[in-house]
Amino acid sequence: MEQLEQLIEGCIIGNRQSQNRLYAVLMPKMFGVCLRYSKTREEAEEILQEGFIRVFEYMHQYNFAGSFEGWVRKIMVNCALQKYRSKKQMHAVVNIDSTAVEPVSNEEILSRIGTKELLQMVQQLSPAYRMVFNLYVFEGMKHREIAEHLGISEGTSKSNLSDARAFLQRAVHKSIQSAKQNLNEV
Amino acid sequence: MNKDLHNIDDLFRKALEENQELPSASVWDNIDKTLDKKKVVSISKKYNKLKWVAAVLLLFSLGMAMYTLHIRKQNRELVKQNREGKNILKQKPQNESSSGDSSMSNTANANVQVYVNGHNNNLQKQIQHADTEIANNKITTTENKALTNKKDAGEKEVVTNKNNNIISSSLSEGESNALLNRKKLTGKNTARVQMNIEAGTTDSLYPNDKTDKQFAVSYNKNNIDRTHAVDNSFHDIITDRQRNIETTSLSPELKNDLLLPIQNPAYQNNNKKSSGEMVFKKKPFSSNSKSIKIKSDSGSPVSATVFFSPDIVSTQVRDDHPRFREEERNAIERDERIKFSSTFGVLVNYNIGKSWKLESGLTYSSRKTDIQPKTIYARPDNDGNINYRFNCSAGYSYVTVKSPTPPASGDSINALASTNNLQYIGLPFYAKYIFIAGRFSILPGAGVSFNFLTKGQIETTIAPTSGSKIQSTDKIQGLKPMYLNGAAGVELQYNLNKTFSLSFEPAFRFAISSINKDASVKTNLNSFGLSTGIVLKL
């Protein structure tokens, strides 16, 4: 903890070595966050880069009150939001298969589907769905806050979340089915 | 189903919450490079105030340098003219003496240059003390060889015919240096007058010729005896050869104060009667004299211009950390059209030398922008209350809409056609170079202007979902109290007469700093104005 504070203080005075070390400490987790908000790895790297530049730029505003990691994470999410807003958004038309999906326990899914595959599913969501899903599930935001951040109505936020969930559910189901088939073939 | 949905949430949360991956090494390299650039930018921001001070000092130094050059140039001209005057004064007597002209009624020309700089000192006072001055070798006499009046036999008196009597009088600071042929006064009312006095062109400069007070100087050929006929007051020095003085436009101060050597007709008579006496008379200048030529290149270096300029304005808008989509540059710029923009004011010009002019004054500019109907959203204001935020290129304002339930963040409402109005008072500083071509003057120039905000307002009509339309006038927030712009243009002046000129100036004004600081966008105002005005030479 003391080491982190020293790094932060070093970053505040613009010490490049401290900045490098802090980056090395936080980078893997933050890149994981960025990956969830972007479609590709390159896009995630862009968000990570912009996010860390802001972290170093506004480091003096950190008051050591809350979790530093949480503060950095917030900046990363804001960068992702800004990137999302800066792009002209197209309303994606997603075909959601309404057929019922047989319930499978999370443990079973996780044993069959890897993290990477789940991440890819999130990345395959349309930007609007991905943003709403991420903000709701990972950041714990309410629909009102999401609507405010994305400049949409609360209803749209709810609808987007519902569609995103349905899409992911279908994707998970498909993935399990194909995994089962592979097992049977073997 | 609902449970399944939550399972999906949990599934992904558990799987991806702590997910960690390594990005490529190029990310840190890019961060490193960007931080270096930002460091440079932050240093430049840090020294922003110093830059301003440096700019002001530079302008001041430039002004001082130009002023000093102007003064030096003026001094050089004065010295040159002094020399020329001296040469003329030296050469004339020599010519005259060599020609053997020794008569009392010598009508040889004498060009006398009189420079007047400053106070209109009453020369009478100077003259009242002149006897003292003369006693202190303040009179320099250029002898015109000998003027011998041989009417009275046995008496060999040479009466000095002072062709060029120069009184170098250093009476007091700022007073006359030369009373006779040269007069230089310095002081507040700087007026430089070159007066060419030519003898022999008129005979009636001093019609009221009275010989009440005399100053007689008797000369021997080799010895000069000066006798002061001190009769309470010594009036003037008379040269008998400068009987004819031509004047065309003598300034009042000169008419009142200037003492010139005059030819006293009575003196001639006296001289004929009693040889050996030369009479110096003080005569008032004839007010109706027409024979003294004054060339005056004086004129106040100050002039004032009243102008009006309709402007064509273009705005440069760029994002400054917008939080919401409606705060972005594209969304704001799309809806705005400049309706009307103009500038008018009064500028004071100060000529530095013949080629440069400094210009400053006060200007007032007004700019109206039409904003198309658009949807505005409720956002937390600076006090934490939720109000509808109206964004425009100038800044933003919060529109309070009375309704039974306060708006929630993200709620929207329609704003019908709106207008924003910006008004500034400007303090310009321009430097212009002067080209003169006949009655026309062309003045290319450049400078800066400090613009102080006097009014920033948005007028809008809100159309709520229920109820009647609401007119709302709100102050624009996020505007800087002052912004700076540069200007460059070419002024064309047409001289109507000595007092008035017409002025026309196409000028380009470009933003040096943006007009806003705490808004979601930064806006630079550039404009092209066609300024038309009247110049009054003071």
Side-chain angles (χ1 to χ4, degrees):
Chain A
M1 187 65 189
E2 248 178 56
Q3 208 179 6
L4 183 69
E5 277 186 14
Q6 278 176 357
L7 280 180
I8 293 168
E9 278 162 6
C11 292
I12 289 170
I13 59 166
N15 185 309
R16 192 54 54 85
Q17 208 176 349
S18 301
Q19 288 172 337
N20 192 330
R21 284 171 65 190
L22 190 76
Y23 171 78
V25 170
L26 296 174
M27 168 260 289
K29 268 191 184 176
M30 294 307 135
F31 191 55
V33 173
C34 295
L35 280 168
R36 287 201 314 262
Y37 282 90
S38 31
K39 193 172 181 69
T40 59
R41 217 179 155 79
E42 288 73 32
E43 198 181 320
E45 284 180 353
E46 277 178 34
I47 295 169
L48 184 76
Q49 182 184 315
E50 180 62 30
F52 266 104
I53 289 165
R54 280 199 199 175
V55 166
F56 295 134
E57 201 176 341
Y58 297 106
M59 187 75 92
H60 60 279
Q61 290 181 4
Y62 176 64
N63 54 12
F64 296 91
S67 151
F68 180 71
E69 195 184 303
W71 185 74
V72 175
R73 184 192 169 106
K74 221 171 196 172
I75 289 175
M76 295 296 161
V77 172
N78 279 336
C79 283
L81 277 166
Q82 201 169 329
K83 199 166 184 65
Y84 166 77
R85 286 197 296 259
S86 67
K87 287 182 179 176
K88 282 189 177 178
Q89 301 301 329
M90 306 283 281
H91 292 286
V93 180
V94 184
N95 272 332
I96 298 163
D97 198 346
S98 56
T99 51
V101 177
E102 58 181 85
V104 187
S105 70
N106 283 348
E107 286 71 26
E108 192 186 341
I109 296 167
L110 286 172
S111 65
R112 292 184 186 180
I113 307 171
T115 309
K116 219 166 188 176
E117 204 173 342
L118 288 170
L119 180 66
Q120 276 174 356
M121 288 174 194
V122 174
Q123 286 180 329
Q124 278 166 10
L125 284 169
S126 76
Y129 292 174
R130 190 167 57 239
M131 290 308 291
V132 174
F133 182 78
N134 271 307
L135 292 174
Y136 187 87
V137 175
F138 295 97
E139 313 307 327
M141 283 188 188
K142 303 289 175 204
H143 283 293
R144 178 174 284 186
E145 290 172 275
I146 294 168
E148 192 183 313
H149 277 100
L150 299 181
I152 56 174
S153 68
E154 221 174 300
T156 310
S157 174
K158 284 175 184 170
S159 163
N160 284 356
L161 179 67
S162 172
D163 289 349
R165 279 170 172 166
F167 179 87
L168 290 172
Q169 215 166 20
R170 292 294 315 155
V172 168
H173 179 71
K174 271 185 187 174
S175 182
I176 291 169
Q177 290 298 321
S178 65
K180 277 180 181 174
Q181 275 179 3
N182 287 342
L183 270 175
N184 290 335
E185 283 171 12
V186 170
Chain B
M1 182 67 186
N2 216 8
K3 196 185 169 189
D4 293 338
L5 290 176
H6 284 293
N7 281 342
I8 282 290
D9 291 356
D10 290 340
L11 170 71
F12 280 89
R13 197 180 294 119
K14 277 179 189 171
L16 302 178
E17 181 88 80
E18 299 302 319
N19 181 36
Q20 294 187 12
E21 284 194 42
L22 292 176
S24 66
S26 64
V27 176
W28 171 251
D29 292 340
N30 290 336
I31 292 171
D32 197 32
K33 280 177 195 169
T34 315
L35 287 173
D36 283 339
K37 282 181 195 168
K38 294 251 177 185
K39 200 173 181 181
V40 173
V41 172
S42 77
I43 287 168
S44 69
K45 276 182 185 171
K46 192 178 174 182
Y47 294 109
N48 226 7
K49 282 182 184 172
L50 278 176
K51 273 186 199 170
W52 282 109
V53 173
V56 170
L57 280 175
L58 189 74
L59 276 172
F60 181 73
S61 314
L62 207 71
M64 285 302 291
M66 287 167 84
Y67 180 73
T68 312
L69 279 172
H70 165 64
I71 294 294
R72 278 187 188 173
K73 197 178 171 188
Q74 212 172 32
N75 286 346
R76 260 186 240 127
E77 279 174 9
L78 277 171
V79 169
K80 196 181 169 188
Q81 283 169 353
N82 275 348
R83 278 178 193 160
E84 283 170 3
K86 276 180 187 174
N87 288 339
I88 290 164
L89 291 169
K90 280 176 186 174
Q91 284 167 10
K92 288 288 176 182
Q94 284 170 9
N95 295 338
E96 285 159 12
S97 61
S98 64
S99 68
D101 180 9
S102 59
S103 77
M104 280 292 287
S105 59
N106 189 352
T107 57
N109 291 337
N111 290 326
V112 181
Q113 288 182 323
V114 178
Y115 300 96
V116 179
N117 251 337
H119 300 300
N120 296 329
N121 289 330
N122 189 343
L123 217 55
Q124 291 283 1
K125 289 178 185 174
Q126 296 173 10
I127 299 309
Q128 281 171 7
H129 301 287
D131 53 344
T132 316
E133 305 297 331
I134 289 161
N136 291 325
N137 296 322
K138 301 298 178 188
I139 299 175
T140 307
T141 306
T142 306
E143 188 181 353
N144 181 17
K145 288 295 180 181
L147 174 65
T148 310
N149 193 339
K150 292 180 180 178
K151 280 185 180 178
D152 297 333
E155 219 179 328
K156 282 193 172 181
E157 281 190 59
V158 177
V159 178
T160 308
N161 182 4
K162 294 177 180 176
N163 284 332
N164 295 287
N165 289 326
I166 299 169
I167 297 176
S168 301
S169 127
S170 55
L171 295 170
S172 64
E173 189 185 352
E175 290 183 327
S176 154
N177 284 330
L179 294 180
L180 183 60
N181 293 334
R182 182 178 303 165
K183 179 180 175 188
K184 186 175 179 181
L185 300 172
T186 57
K188 287 178 183 176
N189 303 320
T190 304
R192 210 182 78 210
V193 179
Q194 182 179 353
M195 189 171 77
N196 294 327
I197 303 169
E198 293 187 2
T201 53
T202 181
D203 292 330
S204 60
L205 187 61
Y206 306 109
N208 303 321
D209 191 11
K210 292 177 184 174
T211 58
D212 53 343
K213 293 167 186 177
Q214 295 181 345
F215 173 69
V217 181
S218 296
Y219 280 89
N220 198 307
K221 262 192 176 181
N222 297 317
N223 303 310
I224 301 168
D225 296 326
R226 284 180 289 182
T227 306
H228 293 197
V230 183
D231 184 14
N232 289 329
S233 64
F234 167 70
H235 291 289
D236 202 352
I237 300 158
I238 302 165
T239 58
D240 55 353
R241 60 185 296 279
Q242 291 171 333
R243 67 175 70 186
N244 304 314
I245 300 172
E246 184 182 270
T247 181
T248 52
S249 60
L250 192 61
S251 61
E253 59 266 34
L254 276 174
K255 283 177 183 173
N256 291 332
D257 299 340
L258 187 64
L259 284 177
L260 290 170
I262 57 170
Q263 171 62 39
N264 185 359
Y267 162 69
Q268 282 185 319
N269 299 333
N270 290 340
N271 200 25
K272 284 172 188 172
K273 289 171 186 172
S274 57
S275 63
E277 273 196 340
M278 182 176 138
V279 181
F280 293 87
K281 300 296 290 178
K282 181 222 170 191
K283 288 295 163 191
F285 272 87
S286 168
S287 59
N288 55 1
S289 171
K290 293 177 180 177
S291 58
I292 295 178
K293 280 183 181 173
I294 304 287
K295 288 178 187 172
S296 173
D297 60 355
S298 66
S300 172
V302 182
S303 60
T305 308
V306 182
F307 76 96
F308 173 78
S309 167
D311 300 328
I312 302 161
V313 178
S314 75
T315 52
Q316 272 184 333
V317 185
R318 60 182 194 276
D319 283 327
D320 188 29
H321 305 300
R323 288 179 303 159
F324 304 101
R325 200 183 296 177
E326 76 269 13
E327 292 179 0
E328 287 169 7
R329 176 180 69 91
N330 291 334
I332 289 171
E333 252 186 330
R334 187 182 55 213
D335 299 325
E336 294 192 6
R337 298 280 177 282
I338 301 281
K339 185 182 177 187
F340 173 77
S341 177
S342 68
T343 308
F344 67 88
V346 179
L347 298 172
V348 177
N349 310 292
Y350 183 79
N351 283 16
I352 295 179
K354 288 176 181 175
S355 306
W356 286 95
K357 187 163 92 165
L358 289 181
E359 197 171 77
S360 185
L362 279 179
T363 64
Y364 176 82
S365 60
S366 176
R367 195 164 294 119
K368 279 192 174 182
T369 308
D370 277 347
I371 303 168
Q372 299 295 313
K374 63 178 183 181
T375 306
I376 59 173
Y377 295 89
R379 306 290 179 205
D381 64 15
N382 299 333
D383 301 324
N385 303 319
I386 306 291
N387 276 311
Y388 291 101
R389 178 171 160 134
F390 193 106
N391 295 295
C392 61
S393 60
Y396 59 91
S397 70
Y398 285 98
V399 181
T400 310
V401 179
K402 285 179 184 172
S403 63
T405 53
S409 182
D411 285 356
S412 63
I413 199 167
N414 288 327
L416 302 180
S418 316
T419 308
N420 87 40
N421 189 355
L422 292 178
Q423 289 172 9
Y424 288 92
I425 283 182
L427 185 62
F429 295 96
Y430 301 138
K432 291 183 174 178
Y433 191 81
I434 308 167
F435 293 104
I436 298 172
R439 277 177 169 260
F440 287 97
S441 303
I442 301 164
L443 301 99
V448 292
S449 177
F450 298 87
N451 300 286
F452 300 91
L453 179 73
T454 54
K455 188 180 178 184
Q457 224 171 45
I458 290 182
E459 289 169 17
T460 187
T461 307
I462 302 295
T465 45
S466 61
S468 56
K469 292 174 185 173
I470 305 159
Q471 289 282 350
S472 176
T473 305
D474 303 280
K475 189 184 169 188
I476 299 176
Q477 296 178 42
L479 278 167
K480 280 183 186 171
M482 189 277 286
Y483 82 93
L484 185 68
N485 75 272
V490 180
E491 185 183 355
L492 182 70
Q493 276 187 19
Y494 177 75
N495 293 325
L496 294 171
N497 53 40
K498 285 180 181 176
T499 316
F500 291 103
S501 301
L502 288 178
S503 160
F504 176 74
E505 183 180 12
F508 178 63
R509 302 183 197 100
F510 51 91
I512 295 176
S513 63
S514 65
I515 61 167
N516 33 30
K517 59 174 180 180
D518 295 325
S520 57
V521 290
K522 279 199 183 296
T523 305
N524 288 346
L525 289 179
N526 303 318
S527 66
F528 178 76
L530 294 169
S531 161
T532 311
I534 295 173
V535 182
L536 171 68
K537 287 163 195 164
L538 303 171

